[in-house]
Amino acid sequence: MAALGHRTYWDGYFAGRAAPLGRVPAEVVHAAFYSFAEGEAARHIPGVWETASPEASLAARERGSAASLRRILGDEPAGSPGLVRAADLTTKAATSAPTAGRVMYAGMRTLPVPGDPVARLWHSATMLREHRGDGHIAALLGAGIGGTEAHVLRAVDMGIHPPESFGRIHHLPKARLAAVMAGLRERGLLDADGRFTDAGRETKERIEALTDELAAPPYDALSFADLDELIAELEPITARLVAAGSR
């Protein structure tokens, strides 16, 4: 991304992740990403397209991600039959779900699936990530939880206190954060100290349970034996990624 001219991590993030949507305006990216504060998408979109096209940014994202995955795993695991099988099963799941109401997932589905197994595994896992993310947004909308509010609930769930110190939102204007916290207290989701009430914890758990439910359709394409095999093949890959900090 830097070689293309993207100056910061967030330039590269918005350019690469939004690229499957094409040259849409910032308002569309803001709606599709959902969890960013007002104006954050507009600081990057459409400016990043003046630096590099969506096609070039997308290619760099995929090329760099596959290279990182291959470096972390090492030559032998990256070329193993187990990884090839994991890539095949992940791709089968990722290309089998309906796209209706799934904007980010639908954008990824329009892209060609790479032939290289490592790139295919990353690409298909990213499709599943976007499918799940679209469902999570639907769950948040159904519960009346906005993007910044979602970050606050996540921070509380993670035990971060005060939740306003969470890294994804601590940079926002204090007045904006105060208004969000006040709104969650007025709705009875947080107490005066900024921790979950019973209703707040129930809301968070309900959102996560619905997210899991909405994320299930891709895996309907796999048999129980396929699912067991996929989990078994992914476990050592996941272990290496976690051990490396996925850097």
Side-chain angles (χ1 to χ4, degrees):
M1 288 297 188
L4 288 178
H6 295 305
R7 296 169 298 172
T8 68
Y9 168 83
W10 288 110
D11 280 346
Y13 174 91
F14 275 90
R17 190 174 172 218
L21 302 177
R23 291 178 180 267
V24 295
E27 291 83 356
V28 174
V29 174
H30 175 74
F33 285 16
Y34 192 73
S35 62
F36 287 87
E38 289 288 341
E40 288 190 338
R43 283 200 285 272
H44 307 277
I45 303 292
V48 291
W49 307 139
E50 298 174 7
T51 300
S53 69
E55 293 79 13
S57 297
L58 186 67
R61 181 195 191 203
E62 190 154 284
R63 190 167 59 249
S65 297
S68 295
L69 184 56
R70 188 174 288 106
R71 174 177 51 79
I72 293 169
L73 295 178
D75 292 338
E76 184 176 345
S80 68
L83 185 139
V84 173
R85 182 61 174 157
D88 290 344
L89 290 171
T90 303
T91 301
K92 183 177 181 180
T95 56
S96 298
T99 58
R102 310 268 186 169
V103 175
M104 294 301 299
Y105 173 64
M108 286 292 298
R109 280 284 299 272
T110 67
L111 305 176
V113 177
D116 172 73
V118 173
R120 186 163 73 250
L121 178 60
W122 177 84
H123 180 92
S124 296
T126 300
M127 277 197 279
L128 291 172
R129 171 261 177 103
E130 296 293 13
H131 180 277
R132 182 180 179 85
D134 288 332
H136 188 56
I137 289 170
L140 289 169
L141 283 166
I145 301 297
T148 304
E149 291 173 323
H151 286 310
V152 171
L153 296 187
R154 182 184 178 200
V156 176
D157 191 54
M158 294 168 64
I160 296 173
H161 192 77
E164 300 98 312
S165 65
F166 184 34
R168 292 297 302 272
I169 58 174
H170 72 89
H171 62 286
L172 297 179
K174 293 188 183 303
R176 167 65 177 152
L177 288 175
V180 169
M181 294 295 293
L184 291 170
R185 290 189 180 101
E186 289 170 7
R187 294 174 60 184
L189 302 181
L190 297 182
D191 62 20
D193 194 38
R195 303 182 192 275
F196 276 137
T197 61
D198 289 344
R201 185 167 297 283
E202 188 278 332
T203 297
K204 174 65 173 171
E205 291 174 352
R206 178 160 39 88
I207 290 168
E208 296 305 325
L210 181 55
T211 298
D212 287 344
E213 181 182 341
L214 293 174
Y219 305 97
D220 291 341
L222 304 181
S223 68
F224 288 120
D226 286 340
L227 283 169
D228 288 342
E229 185 179 7
L230 178 58
I231 292 168
E233 298 296 355
L234 286 176
E235 282 179 340
I237 295 171
T238 301
R240 283 179 177 262
L241 293 173
V242 172
S246 294
R247 290 187 295 273

